[in-house]
Amino acid sequence: MKNEIMGSVVEDQVKKKHLRKKHHRITWKQIKKQKEFMLISIPFLVYIIIFSYLPLWGWLMAFQNYRPGKALTEQVWVGLKQFRLLFLDERFLRVLRNTLAMSTINLILGFTTAIILALLLNEIKHRLFKRSVQTISYLPHFLSWVIAAGIVSMVLGSQGIVNVVLMELNIVKEPVLWLSEGKYFWGIVGISTVWKELGWNTIIYLAAMSAINPALYEAAEVDGAGRFKKMWHITLPGIRPTIVILLILSIGRILEAGLEVQYLLGRGMTMDWAETIDLFALNYGIKIGNYSLATAAGIFKSLVSVILIFGANNMAKRLGQERLI
């Protein structure tokens, strides 16, 4: 039974690959047929060029001792000096460590919890209960991080529910200062991010599961497969292309650990653990006015992200999985 189901899943995936290859062969005849759609896409393309590519002009600041108010020809060009200063700065190395640690935690927790919740929701047959769980889990996504950080601070405060429960259970004798000790900060950010984004992240997986052929589940039931076997042998292989694509995108954003949550939950005593590359660029660029060093940090982050996303895409290609490009 298992081999038959796996064979059907593999057959579906092979058909999809053939269809994609067929669609990839673009001819002039197809272009003429789709000219209306191509014309409609032009405004969006112009929007992306104006707001995503033209600002790259500002990267020139990373190669200057940039001074606001001076023309480009009046700026002092310093080559790669800002990048050398950046990598010799112990603070930046600490910031890089924090960024990688929090991104990795968010990636692992975000991926696993979203897939598990989507699998469980997919198995729930009671429509009202399923909709209720989905709605409750989606709602935190629509809260701004200002409100979400306020809730987290209140829950983890000295009189918050977490300390009250721990003291009632005699696990701790006195309130734990969760937000004042750096060793807790990465975990707090990871759990807070999961709480806020878990429901929203399941939407794509649930959409992918709805596209799986129901005949596969019926065949599995006839052969006596339980829910967990159906999840393992049908659902997970069916959403594997979606998982791979989202994983590639997530790896490309590995240096985007966030800005708001660290800025709002960070305290002076936890700043050695809370500062990310985005906060570093904000502090140097806006507060101190060292625009050149902040721009160099931004360029470093962008280049690493591009390298990672192409590397992950190439790895997926070598493993015969779905890829982004």
Side-chain angles (χ1 to χ4, degrees), residues 205-216:
Y205 296 116
L206 287 170
M209 289 174 190
S210 67
I212 298 175
N213 188 353
L216 296 176

Side-chain angles (χ1 to χ4, degrees), residues 256-291:
E256 294 184 11
L259 169 68
E260 294 171 296
V261 59
Q262 290 83 2
Y263 183 78
L264 293 167
L265 291 179
R267 307 285 188 269
M269 290 180 286
T270 58
M271 198 46 66
D272 285 350
W273 303 80
E275 194 174 25
T276 60
I277 291 180
D278 292 326
L279 270 179
F280 178 86
L282 177 69
N283 289 329
Y284 268 94
I286 304 299
K287 293 184 178 178
I288 301 177
N290 191 339
Y291 300 102

Side-chain angles (χ1 to χ4, degrees), residues 122 130 203-214 217 235 239:
N122 191 52
K130 181 178 179 178
I203 292 176
I204 296 177
Y205 296 116
L206 287 170
M209 289 174 190
S210 67
I212 298 175
N213 188 353
Y217 292 106
T235 310
I239 64 171

Side-chain angles (χ1 to χ4, degrees), residues 141-251:
H141 171 78
F142 298 100
L143 297 175
S144 73
W145 265 115
V146 176
I147 299 173
I151 295 173
V152 172
S153 298
M154 186 172 63
V155 168
L156 297 177
S158 58
Q159 302 298 322
I161 186 66
V162 173
N163 275 318
V164 170
V165 171
L166 291 178
M167 291 177 70
E168 287 293 329
L169 295 174
N170 290 322
I171 295 175
V172 297
K173 293 182 179 178
E174 55 186 20
V176 180
L177 301 176
W178 299 102
L179 293 174
S180 299
E181 296 188 38
K183 61 182 179 182
Y184 299 127
F185 193 82
W186 295 347
I188 291 171
V189 170
I191 294 171
S192 302
T193 305
V194 168
W195 162 68
K196 191 173 182 299
E197 304 296 340
L198 174 59
W200 190 256
N201 290 339
T202 60
I203 292 176
I204 296 177
Y205 296 116
L206 287 170
M209 289 174 190
S210 67
I212 298 175
N213 188 353
L216 296 176
Y217 292 106
E218 293 169 4
E221 283 181 5
V222 170
D223 289 335
R227 288 188 172 180
F228 289 105
K229 282 192 175 180
K230 286 191 286 185
M231 285 184 197
W232 185 256
H233 295 297
I234 299 175
T235 310
L236 280 175
I239 64 171
R240 187 169 56 194
T242 305
I243 294 174
V244 173
I245 293 295
L246 292 179
L247 183 61
I248 292 171
L249 291 172
S250 298
I251 290 174

Side-chain angles (χ1 to χ4, degrees), residues 98-108 253-257:
N98 296 341
T99 305
L100 287 172
M102 282 186 271
S103 290
T104 304
I105 291 172
N106 289 341
L107 178 65
I108 295 172
R253 294 195 299 266
I254 200 71
L255 292 184
E256 294 184 11

Side-chain angles (χ1 to χ4, degrees), residues 1-66:
M1 184 273 278
K2 175 182 170 183
N3 292 334
E4 292 175 1
I5 295 172
M6 289 299 295
S8 300
V9 172
V10 171
E11 189 179 342
D12 284 346
Q13 291 178 351
V14 170
K15 285 180 180 176
K16 289 177 182 176
K17 283 184 180 179
H18 282 305
L19 284 173
R20 278 196 296 276
K21 284 182 180 178
K22 185 178 178 182
H23 288 303
H24 284 171
R25 296 191 196 105
I26 299 172
T27 62
W28 282 111
K29 187 178 179 182
Q30 286 178 319
I31 292 174
K32 285 181 181 178
K33 280 185 178 178
Q34 298 178 352
K35 61 182 179 183
E36 292 84 2
F37 297 107
M38 296 174 75
L39 288 172
I40 291 172
S41 66
I42 287 177
F44 299 100
L45 182 63
V46 171
Y47 175 86
I48 291 171
I49 290 173
I50 291 175
F51 291 101
S52 298
Y53 286 92
L54 288 184
L56 295 180
W57 168 261
W59 279 13
L60 290 177
M61 285 192 291
F63 305 96
Q64 305 167 338
N65 270 332
Y66 180 75

